[in-house]
Amino acid sequence: MISKNLQKALIEQLNKEFHSAYIYLGMSAYSSKEGFNGASSWFLIQYQEEVAHGMKLFKYLEDQNVEITLPEIKSAKVEYKSLLDVFKKSLAHEQAMSKNLNNLSDIAMQEKDHATYNLLQWYVTEQVEEEATVGEIIDHIKLVGDNGYGLYTIDKELATRSFGNPTI
Ligand code: FEO
């Protein structure tokens, strides 16, 4: 049985995962508008991954007989300054998500809720991969600077991402 305190925190996390999906949909829209079709596709896959994160938690809460509530999902931006800016914002978002998940893990550990702690470790591991991937993309974009051909090449590389395979 998950404590009421942890149930509330997990429902908040569920909302954050779907909000993340929404944020990435906005990033996809921005990239498409700017002609970065590879980045747009990359963010669309990230959107799908976030929905999958939300659904994994949703299923867990159902399995644990938690009474699910679905609070409003906040709006998401569709305007960014540049390809570098949009990926920097993505990294900052993932770092904030990692912090949330670490806090949730702390609560689960304190409450000796092994099942929830175990589930959360999957998310913690996923965060390490997400932060590393976005960090590498940022490094590549910084390397080419404003060079159009460089950005075009990176965009081509981003287009090769498929669901469950981060490419870069
Ligand atoms: Fe579901 Fe990108 O964290």
Side-chain angles (χ1 to χ4, degrees):
M1 173 79 184
I2 305 176
S3 75
K4 286 287 174 207
N5 176 40
L6 195 49
Q7 284 189 25
K8 186 169 170 280
L10 290 169
I11 296 267
E12 280 169 16
Q13 184 61 30
L14 179 66
N15 185 273
K16 285 187 169 81
E17 295 292 349
F18 285 111
H19 182 231
S20 295
Y22 213 34
I23 287 172
Y24 285 118
L25 201 55
M27 290 179 170
S28 176
Y30 165 78
S31 303
S32 169
K33 182 166 64 80
E34 295 299 313
F36 293 117
N37 292 341
S40 178
S41 161
W42 194 95
F43 283 122
L44 209 52
I45 289 166
Q46 191 60 31
Y47 156 84
Q48 291 173 331
E49 295 232 349
E50 297 301 346
V51 170
H53 294 174
M55 289 314 296
K56 186 179 178 77
L57 187 50
F58 180 82
K59 174 80 172 58
Y60 177 75
L61 294 171
E62 279 197 328
D63 287 348
Q64 292 278 19
N65 294 317
V66 172
E67 196 176 325
I68 299 201
T69 56
L70 296 171
E72 193 173 346
I73 297 170
K74 278 193 289 183
S75 64
K77 278 166 52 134
V78 291
E79 288 300 336
Y80 293 89
K81 289 188 211 132
S82 62
L83 192 65
L84 180 60
D85 179 49
V86 74
F87 276 101
K88 276 185 168 176
K89 295 288 188 322
S90 165
L91 181 59
H93 175 70
E94 289 306 333
Q95 287 166 339
M97 287 294 275
S98 297
K99 217 178 219 182
N100 294 332
L101 288 157
N102 284 343
N103 290 340
L104 276 173
S105 292
D106 283 348
I107 300 171
M109 196 190 285
Q110 281 157 15
E111 296 189 358
K112 298 188 170 51
D113 182 337
H114 295 278
T116 302
Y117 181 79
N118 191 38
L119 174 91
L120 290 169
Q121 294 324 287
W122 181 88
Y123 286 89
V124 168
T125 305
E126 182 80 0
Q127 285 306 121
V128 173
E129 186 191 299
E130 288 197 337
E131 284 189 35
T133 303
V134 177
E136 268 189 61
I137 295 169
I138 290 171
D139 287 346
H140 290 188
I141 298 172
K142 281 182 177 167
L143 273 177
V144 303
D146 289 334
N147 181 284
Y149 186 70
L151 289 171
Y152 173 79
T153 306
I154 289 173
D155 194 56
K156 282 264 180 233
E157 204 175 338
L158 291 170
T160 63
R161 180 183 187 184
S162 56
F163 190 74
N165 168 20
T167 67
I168 286 185

